[in-house]
Amino acid sequence: EPEVTQTPSHQVTQMGQEVILRCVPISNHLYFYWYRQILGQKVEFLVSFYNNEISEKSEIFDDQFSVERPDGSNFTLKIRSTKLEDSAMYFCASSAGRVGEKLFFGSGTQLSVL
Amino acid sequence: AQSVAQPEDQVNVAEGNPLTVKCTYSVSGNPYLFWYVQYPNRGLQFLLKYITGDNLVKGSYGFEAEFNKSQTSFHLKKPSALVSDSALYFCAVRVVSGGYQKVTFGTGTKLQVIP
């Protein structure tokens, strides 16, 4: 089965630093998402992306966050100035269609902000 | 607000016994409902979905879920639990906003199957 790939698997950074989390969605998918999960608990929606623009974002996704699809295969999440509370597992997901399609998730990037 | 609720943080069941993981939803319009499973240190994996049709939906690994409109529930079930079913289970609902969808997840239920 095709996979969503995320790198790195672990990222440690100092508070205030910028981080970029990388994802390679499944090649023929059109819809891309970032979710995060704190301490194995609730999975929280961050943002959805379609046709090279953000289609939906949550209240978590403030001005410190941005997403980009720079080259037609990668999908990145940037946090400009990390805070301690940004420490979480970040999951990328993609889907082929919009209505009722299942999401394919990557294995996640564990971000630790010190 | 459109959402799903998983009332149990943890469910314990003996191997070989039937299992149920509960989920209730609150959405406007017809719900699109999903179950995902998360094994330790892994991403979420799709189990099954309900969009329309038969209220009993069959999915991966022998799991099924029953859509009950009157009770606004979508409980996950399996007739005979395996130790390998031990994982974190998330119910999810498609929420439509501004013409686009997002999938909102419940808080998760940890399933522990006891040998």
Side-chain angles (χ1 to χ4, degrees):
Chain A
E1 189 171 67
E3 289 186 341
V4 174
T5 306
Q6 288 186 246
T7 55
S9 57
H10 292 86
Q11 176 85 49
V12 181
T13 189
Q14 295 291 324
M15 189 170 58
Q17 294 297 303
E18 174 183 286
V19 295
I20 297 176
L21 309 182
R22 303 181 190 279
C23 169
V24 179
I26 294 171
S27 61
N28 63 343
H29 283 185
L30 301 176
Y31 297 84
F32 314 111
Y33 312 85
W34 282 101
Y35 285 81
R36 77 175 185 187
Q37 185 182 34
I38 297 175
L39 294 176
Q41 297 301 315
K42 184 175 183 177
V43 177
E44 300 175 304
F45 170 80
L46 292 178
V47 65
S48 60
F49 191 86
Y50 169 71
N51 199 27
N52 286 320
E53 62 182 21
I54 291 173
S55 51
E56 182 78 30
K57 62 182 181 179
S58 73
E59 62 278 2
I60 301 169
F61 195 87
D62 61 21
D63 291 344
Q64 293 299 312
F65 290 87
S66 62
V67 289
E68 193 177 32
R69 188 156 161 80
D71 56 14
S73 63
N74 291 285
F75 179 52
T76 62
L77 174 69
K78 181 192 290 185
I79 309 175
R80 291 190 183 82
S81 179
T82 51
K83 303 186 288 287
L84 295 177
E85 54 265 37
D86 292 329
S87 296
M89 179 73 86
Y90 288 79
F91 291 105
C92 174
S94 67
S95 65
R98 176 163 60 93
V99 178
E101 288 288 333
K102 68 180 182 180
L103 302 178
F104 289 80
F105 284 83
S107 296
T109 294
Q110 179 65 56
L111 176 65
S112 297
V113 182
L114 305 179
Chain B
Q2 303 184 84
S3 63
V4 288
Q6 294 180 245
E8 303 155 317
D9 290 335
Q10 181 159 338
V11 170
N12 297 320
V13 63
E15 185 178 22
N17 282 2
L19 69 87
T20 298
V21 182
K22 296 180 180 177
C23 171
T24 58
Y25 65 89
S26 173
V27 298
S28 55
N30 293 321
Y32 286 18
L33 297 159
F34 306 82
W35 276 100
Y36 285 81
V37 59
Q38 184 181 31
Y39 297 101
N41 303 313
R42 301 292 299 276
L44 282 76
Q45 297 178 34
F46 172 83
L47 276 180
L48 50 81
K49 67 180 178 182
Y50 171 83
I51 296 180
T52 188
D54 194 345
N55 289 343
L56 186 63
V57 179
K58 294 188 183 296
S60 307
Y61 313 122
F63 282 93
E64 57 190 28
E66 186 170 11
F67 172 67
N68 188 317
K69 188 173 184 178
S70 63
Q71 297 184 4
T72 62
S73 67
F74 189 57
H75 300 332
L76 181 70
K77 300 181 180 183
K78 187 173 182 180
S80 178
L82 301 173
V83 173
S84 57
D85 292 330
S86 298
L88 196 54
Y89 289 81
F90 290 93
C91 183
V93 65
R94 184 200 69 149
V95 174
V96 177
S97 175
Y100 293 94
Q101 73 157 339
K102 66 178 180 182
V103 176
T104 297
F105 289 84
T107 51
T109 298
K110 182 178 180 181
L111 174 66
Q112 190 75 39
V113 181
I114 303 163

